[in-house]
Amino acid sequence: MSAKLDSLCQKLTEFIGERAAAPVQQFGEISLEVRAENYLEVAGLLRDHADLQFEQLIDLSGIDYSTFTGWQGKRFAAVSQLTSVTHNWRLRLRVFAPDDGFPILPSLVDIWASANWYEREAFDLYGIMFDGHPDLRRILTDYGFVGHPFRKDFPVSGYVEMRYDPEQRRVVYQPVTIEPREVTPRVVREEGYGRG
């Protein structure tokens, strides 16, 4: 580890203590895993402590670990990328939702306003609820969309499709009508294709 990352690890261990697992270096950055019940407290400390000062949340993503090879832990997580402009370092903060059947985590919007749309995206695509979010609704899919398309158990073709019906003069929803088709190129499929 570099001296800079060593210093960050030491500060995180000192100031966060038992509220999170020990910091781990991965991919040239520090990762910190926190339990859901300590998530808001640790996030506030990361932002406000003078020796840490992570002023910016630059990304938050939902993750579904259900098909991750060899994974035995919880299914849904939120992973935030934090930046300290003051100290010029980054931190990856991960928290797992305690309930796989109904994943819910505290919202970070009151700590970093930039979490707003990222949490809406994680809700829309993974079904992770963020308690305390001021406007948790779909952001990428249609309001009538059924399910959460980035979950590993979501069917590849979806459930319903939407189209404009000129006779009814409105948008209608109907079951998916995708027909299986040949996807092998003709060059491979047909012997002698392109000759003579």
PDB file of all heavy atoms in Angstrom, residues 13-35:
ATOM      1  N   THR A  13      -9.869   3.250  10.527  1.00  0.00           N
ATOM      2  CA  THR A  13      -9.886   2.318  11.658  1.00  0.00           C
ATOM      3  C   THR A  13     -10.034   3.074  12.978  1.00  0.00           C
ATOM      4  O   THR A  13     -10.813   2.685  13.846  1.00  0.00           O
ATOM      5  CB  THR A  13      -8.600   1.472  11.666  1.00  0.00           C
ATOM      6  OG1 THR A  13      -8.494   0.787  10.423  1.00  0.00           O
ATOM      7  CG2 THR A  13      -8.608   0.476  12.801  1.00  0.00           C
ATOM      8  N   GLU A  14      -9.335   4.190  13.093  1.00  0.00           N
ATOM      9  CA  GLU A  14      -9.364   4.976  14.325  1.00  0.00           C
ATOM     10  C   GLU A  14     -10.722   5.636  14.555  1.00  0.00           C
ATOM     11  O   GLU A  14     -11.263   5.590  15.659  1.00  0.00           O
ATOM     12  CB  GLU A  14      -8.268   6.053  14.263  1.00  0.00           C
ATOM     13  CG  GLU A  14      -8.174   6.922  15.489  1.00  0.00           C
ATOM     14  CD  GLU A  14      -7.085   7.985  15.344  1.00  0.00           C
ATOM     15  OE1 GLU A  14      -6.217   7.861  14.444  1.00  0.00           O
ATOM     16  OE2 GLU A  14      -7.120   8.943  16.140  1.00  0.00           O
ATOM     17  N   PHE A  15     -11.295   6.252  13.525  1.00  0.00           N
ATOM     18  CA  PHE A  15     -12.502   7.051  13.706  1.00  0.00           C
ATOM     19  C   PHE A  15     -13.805   6.268  13.516  1.00  0.00           C
ATOM     20  O   PHE A  15     -14.817   6.606  14.112  1.00  0.00           O
ATOM     21  CB  PHE A  15     -12.487   8.261  12.776  1.00  0.00           C
ATOM     22  CG  PHE A  15     -11.300   9.148  12.970  1.00  0.00           C
ATOM     23  CD1 PHE A  15     -10.500   9.505  11.906  1.00  0.00           C
ATOM     24  CD2 PHE A  15     -10.951   9.600  14.240  1.00  0.00           C
ATOM     25  CE1 PHE A  15      -9.397  10.320  12.085  1.00  0.00           C
ATOM     26  CE2 PHE A  15      -9.846  10.399  14.433  1.00  0.00           C
ATOM     27  CZ  PHE A  15      -9.062  10.771  13.357  1.00  0.00           C
ATOM     28  N   ILE A  16     -13.789   5.222  12.691  1.00  0.00           N
ATOM     29  CA  ILE A  16     -15.008   4.442  12.447  1.00  0.00           C
ATOM     30  C   ILE A  16     -15.112   3.307  13.468  1.00  0.00           C
ATOM     31  O   ILE A  16     -16.190   2.980  13.940  1.00  0.00           O
ATOM     32  CB  ILE A  16     -15.035   3.867  11.007  1.00  0.00           C
ATOM     33  CG1 ILE A  16     -14.866   4.985   9.964  1.00  0.00           C
ATOM     34  CG2 ILE A  16     -16.296   3.065  10.770  1.00  0.00           C
ATOM     35  CD1 ILE A  16     -15.974   5.977   9.885  1.00  0.00           C
ATOM     36  N   GLY A  17     -13.989   2.699  13.778  1.00  0.00           N
ATOM     37  CA  GLY A  17     -13.947   1.649  14.795  1.00  0.00           C
ATOM     38  C   GLY A  17     -14.794   0.440  14.448  1.00  0.00           C
ATOM     39  O   GLY A  17     -14.761  -0.063  13.322  1.00  0.00           O
ATOM     40  N   GLU A  18     -15.590  -0.025  15.397  1.00  0.00           N
ATOM     41  CA  GLU A  18     -16.386  -1.245  15.265  1.00  0.00           C
ATOM     42  C   GLU A  18     -17.642  -1.064  14.415  1.00  0.00           C
ATOM     43  O   GLU A  18     -18.366  -2.023  14.191  1.00  0.00           O
ATOM     44  CB  GLU A  18     -16.782  -1.757  16.655  1.00  0.00           C
ATOM     45  CG  GLU A  18     -15.614  -2.134  17.531  1.00  0.00           C
ATOM     46  CD  GLU A  18     -14.808  -3.296  16.961  1.00  0.00           C
ATOM     47  OE1 GLU A  18     -15.426  -4.264  16.467  1.00  0.00           O
ATOM     48  OE2 GLU A  18     -13.569  -3.218  16.990  1.00  0.00           O
ATOM     49  N   ARG A  19     -17.921   0.143  13.981  1.00  0.00           N
ATOM     50  CA  ARG A  19     -19.137   0.395  13.189  1.00  0.00           C
ATOM     51  C   ARG A  19     -19.016  -0.131  11.762  1.00  0.00           C
ATOM     52  O   ARG A  19     -19.986  -0.156  11.023  1.00  0.00           O
ATOM     53  CB  ARG A  19     -19.457   1.885  13.177  1.00  0.00           C
ATOM     54  CG  ARG A  19     -19.906   2.387  14.543  1.00  0.00           C
ATOM     55  CD  ARG A  19     -20.002   3.866  14.544  1.00  0.00           C
ATOM     56  NE  ARG A  19     -18.653   4.412  14.670  1.00  0.00           N
ATOM     57  CZ  ARG A  19     -18.357   5.571  15.236  1.00  0.00           C
ATOM     58  NH1 ARG A  19     -19.312   6.319  15.703  1.00  0.00           N
ATOM     59  NH2 ARG A  19     -17.121   5.983  15.330  1.00  0.00           N
ATOM     60  N   ALA A  20     -17.819  -0.554  11.371  1.00  0.00           N
ATOM     61  CA  ALA A  20     -17.592  -1.090  10.023  1.00  0.00           C
ATOM     62  C   ALA A  20     -16.512  -2.159  10.095  1.00  0.00           C
ATOM     63  O   ALA A  20     -15.765  -2.250  11.072  1.00  0.00           O
ATOM     64  CB  ALA A  20     -17.156   0.029   9.077  1.00  0.00           C
ATOM     65  N   ALA A  21     -16.455  -2.968   9.048  1.00  0.00           N
ATOM     66  CA  ALA A  21     -15.375  -3.955   8.946  1.00  0.00           C
ATOM     67  C   ALA A  21     -14.063  -3.214   8.704  1.00  0.00           C
ATOM     68  O   ALA A  21     -14.054  -2.034   8.351  1.00  0.00           O
ATOM     69  CB  ALA A  21     -15.673  -4.916   7.801  1.00  0.00           C
ATOM     70  N   ALA A  22     -12.960  -3.910   8.876  1.00  0.00           N
ATOM     71  CA  ALA A  22     -11.651  -3.294   8.638  1.00  0.00           C
ATOM     72  C   ALA A  22     -11.549  -2.851   7.181  1.00  0.00           C
ATOM     73  O   ALA A  22     -11.988  -3.563   6.281  1.00  0.00           O
ATOM     74  CB  ALA A  22     -10.549  -4.291   8.975  1.00  0.00           C
ATOM     75  N   PRO A  23     -10.983  -1.672   6.925  1.00  0.00           N
ATOM     76  CA  PRO A  23     -10.818  -1.217   5.546  1.00  0.00           C
ATOM     77  C   PRO A  23      -9.915  -2.162   4.762  1.00  0.00           C
ATOM     78  O   PRO A  23      -8.970  -2.733   5.304  1.00  0.00           O
ATOM     79  CB  PRO A  23     -10.173   0.161   5.677  1.00  0.00           C
ATOM     80  CG  PRO A  23     -10.032   0.435   7.126  1.00  0.00           C
ATOM     81  CD  PRO A  23     -10.464  -0.740   7.901  1.00  0.00           C
ATOM     82  N   VAL A  24     -10.228  -2.321   3.473  1.00  0.00           N
ATOM     83  CA  VAL A  24      -9.485  -3.237   2.608  1.00  0.00           C
ATOM     84  C   VAL A  24      -9.035  -2.478   1.365  1.00  0.00           C
ATOM     85  O   VAL A  24      -9.799  -1.709   0.786  1.00  0.00           O
ATOM     86  CB  VAL A  24     -10.391  -4.422   2.182  1.00  0.00           C
ATOM     87  CG1 VAL A  24      -9.675  -5.336   1.210  1.00  0.00           C
ATOM     88  CG2 VAL A  24     -10.876  -5.184   3.395  1.00  0.00           C
ATOM     89  N   GLN A  25      -7.784  -2.708   0.957  1.00  0.00           N
ATOM     90  CA  GLN A  25      -7.319  -2.099  -0.286  1.00  0.00           C
ATOM     91  C   GLN A  25      -7.675  -3.002  -1.449  1.00  0.00           C
ATOM     92  O   GLN A  25      -7.361  -4.199  -1.447  1.00  0.00           O
ATOM     93  CB  GLN A  25      -5.810  -1.857  -0.267  1.00  0.00           C
ATOM     94  CG  GLN A  25      -5.363  -1.179  -1.549  1.00  0.00           C
ATOM     95  CD  GLN A  25      -3.860  -1.023  -1.670  1.00  0.00           C
ATOM     96  OE1 GLN A  25      -3.101  -1.562  -0.894  1.00  0.00           O
ATOM     97  NE2 GLN A  25      -3.444  -0.295  -2.675  1.00  0.00           N
ATOM     98  N   GLN A  26      -8.356  -2.431  -2.442  1.00  0.00           N
ATOM     99  CA  GLN A  26      -8.701  -3.145  -3.665  1.00  0.00           C
ATOM    100  C   GLN A  26      -8.566  -2.184  -4.833  1.00  0.00           C
ATOM    101  O   GLN A  26      -9.089  -1.061  -4.774  1.00  0.00           O
ATOM    102  CB  GLN A  26     -10.139  -3.659  -3.626  1.00  0.00           C
ATOM    103  CG  GLN A  26     -10.389  -4.732  -2.604  1.00  0.00           C
ATOM    104  CD  GLN A  26     -11.853  -5.107  -2.537  1.00  0.00           C
ATOM    105  OE1 GLN A  26     -12.724  -4.251  -2.518  1.00  0.00           O
ATOM    106  NE2 GLN A  26     -12.125  -6.394  -2.481  1.00  0.00           N
ATOM    107  N   PHE A  27      -7.906  -2.608  -5.872  1.00  0.00           N
ATOM    108  CA  PHE A  27      -7.804  -1.833  -7.106  1.00  0.00           C
ATOM    109  C   PHE A  27      -7.241  -0.430  -6.867  1.00  0.00           C
ATOM    110  O   PHE A  27      -7.672   0.538  -7.479  1.00  0.00           O
ATOM    111  CB  PHE A  27      -9.168  -1.749  -7.804  1.00  0.00           C
ATOM    112  CG  PHE A  27      -9.859  -3.074  -7.911  1.00  0.00           C
ATOM    113  CD1 PHE A  27     -10.995  -3.340  -7.180  1.00  0.00           C
ATOM    114  CD2 PHE A  27      -9.342  -4.078  -8.720  1.00  0.00           C
ATOM    115  CE1 PHE A  27     -11.624  -4.569  -7.261  1.00  0.00           C
ATOM    116  CE2 PHE A  27      -9.963  -5.302  -8.806  1.00  0.00           C
ATOM    117  CZ  PHE A  27     -11.105  -5.555  -8.079  1.00  0.00           C
ATOM    118  N   GLY A  28      -6.287  -0.318  -5.981  1.00  0.00           N
ATOM    119  CA  GLY A  28      -5.649   0.969  -5.719  1.00  0.00           C
ATOM    120  C   GLY A  28      -6.515   1.932  -4.931  1.00  0.00           C
ATOM    121  O   GLY A  28      -6.215   3.126  -4.876  1.00  0.00           O
ATOM    122  N   GLU A  29      -7.608   1.435  -4.347  1.00  0.00           N
ATOM    123  CA  GLU A  29      -8.485   2.265  -3.522  1.00  0.00           C
ATOM    124  C   GLU A  29      -8.825   1.507  -2.245  1.00  0.00           C
ATOM    125  O   GLU A  29      -8.597   0.307  -2.153  1.00  0.00           O
ATOM    126  CB  GLU A  29      -9.782   2.590  -4.264  1.00  0.00           C
ATOM    127  CG  GLU A  29      -9.608   3.477  -5.462  1.00  0.00           C
ATOM    128  CD  GLU A  29     -10.924   3.771  -6.157  1.00  0.00           C
ATOM    129  OE1 GLU A  29     -11.975   3.342  -5.667  1.00  0.00           O
ATOM    130  OE2 GLU A  29     -10.894   4.424  -7.193  1.00  0.00           O
ATOM    131  N   ILE A  30      -9.416   2.214  -1.323  1.00  0.00           N
ATOM    132  CA  ILE A  30      -9.828   1.611  -0.064  1.00  0.00           C
ATOM    133  C   ILE A  30     -11.320   1.314  -0.136  1.00  0.00           C
ATOM    134  O   ILE A  30     -12.119   2.142  -0.561  1.00  0.00           O
ATOM    135  CB  ILE A  30      -9.537   2.553   1.121  1.00  0.00           C
ATOM    136  CG1 ILE A  30      -8.058   2.887   1.196  1.00  0.00           C
ATOM    137  CG2 ILE A  30     -10.029   1.954   2.425  1.00  0.00           C
ATOM    138  CD1 ILE A  30      -7.152   1.701   1.416  1.00  0.00           C
ATOM    139  N   SER A  31     -11.697   0.116   0.305  1.00  0.00           N
ATOM    140  CA  SER A  31     -13.100  -0.273   0.412  1.00  0.00           C
ATOM    141  C   SER A  31     -13.450  -0.433   1.879  1.00  0.00           C
ATOM    142  O   SER A  31     -12.672  -0.986   2.656  1.00  0.00           O
ATOM    143  CB  SER A  31     -13.359  -1.602  -0.306  1.00  0.00           C
ATOM    144  OG  SER A  31     -13.157  -1.462  -1.687  1.00  0.00           O
ATOM    145  N   LEU A  32     -14.637   0.058   2.221  1.00  0.00           N
ATOM    146  CA  LEU A  32     -15.109  -0.035   3.596  1.00  0.00           C
ATOM    147  C   LEU A  32     -16.515  -0.611   3.561  1.00  0.00           C
ATOM    148  O   LEU A  32     -17.391  -0.086   2.878  1.00  0.00           O
ATOM    149  CB  LEU A  32     -15.122   1.359   4.237  1.00  0.00           C
ATOM    150  CG  LEU A  32     -15.461   1.438   5.712  1.00  0.00           C
ATOM    151  CD1 LEU A  32     -14.369   0.769   6.551  1.00  0.00           C
ATOM    152  CD2 LEU A  32     -15.624   2.893   6.129  1.00  0.00           C
ATOM    153  N   GLU A  33     -16.712  -1.716   4.269  1.00  0.00           N
ATOM    154  CA  GLU A  33     -18.035  -2.330   4.336  1.00  0.00           C
ATOM    155  C   GLU A  33     -18.649  -2.029   5.688  1.00  0.00           C
ATOM    156  O   GLU A  33     -18.035  -2.271   6.727  1.00  0.00           O
ATOM    157  CB  GLU A  33     -17.950  -3.834   4.117  1.00  0.00           C
ATOM    158  CG  GLU A  33     -19.301  -4.474   3.992  1.00  0.00           C
ATOM    159  CD  GLU A  33     -19.216  -5.930   3.579  1.00  0.00           C
ATOM    160  OE1 GLU A  33     -18.463  -6.245   2.635  1.00  0.00           O
ATOM    161  OE2 GLU A  33     -19.907  -6.756   4.218  1.00  0.00           O
ATOM    162  N   VAL A  34     -19.867  -1.506   5.659  1.00  0.00           N
ATOM    163  CA  VAL A  34     -20.550  -1.094   6.876  1.00  0.00           C
ATOM    164  C   VAL A  34     -21.879  -1.829   6.983  1.00  0.00           C
ATOM    165  O   VAL A  34     -22.494  -2.161   5.972  1.00  0.00           O
ATOM    166  CB  VAL A  34     -20.743   0.449   6.882  1.00  0.00           C
ATOM    167  CG1 VAL A  34     -21.617   0.901   5.745  1.00  0.00           C
ATOM    168  CG2 VAL A  34     -21.266   0.942   8.190  1.00  0.00           C
ATOM    169  N   ARG A  35     -22.309  -2.100   8.208  1.00  0.00           N
ATOM    170  CA  ARG A  35     -23.612  -2.731   8.428  1.00  0.00           C
ATOM    171  C   ARG A  35     -24.719  -1.701   8.223  1.00  0.00           C
ATOM    172  O   ARG A  35     -24.538  -0.517   8.490  1.00  0.00           O
ATOM    173  CB  ARG A  35     -23.677  -3.329   9.833  1.00  0.00           C
ATOM    174  CG  ARG A  35     -22.767  -4.546  10.010  1.00  0.00           C
ATOM    175  CD  ARG A  35     -22.890  -5.162  11.394  1.00  0.00           C
ATOM    176  NE  ARG A  35     -22.575  -4.243  12.485  1.00  0.00           N
ATOM    177  CZ  ARG A  35     -21.338  -3.949  12.882  1.00  0.00           C
ATOM    178  NH1 ARG A  35     -20.309  -4.509  12.285  1.00  0.00           N
ATOM    179  NH2 ARG A  35     -21.135  -3.117  13.887  1.00  0.00           N
TER     180      ARG A  35
END
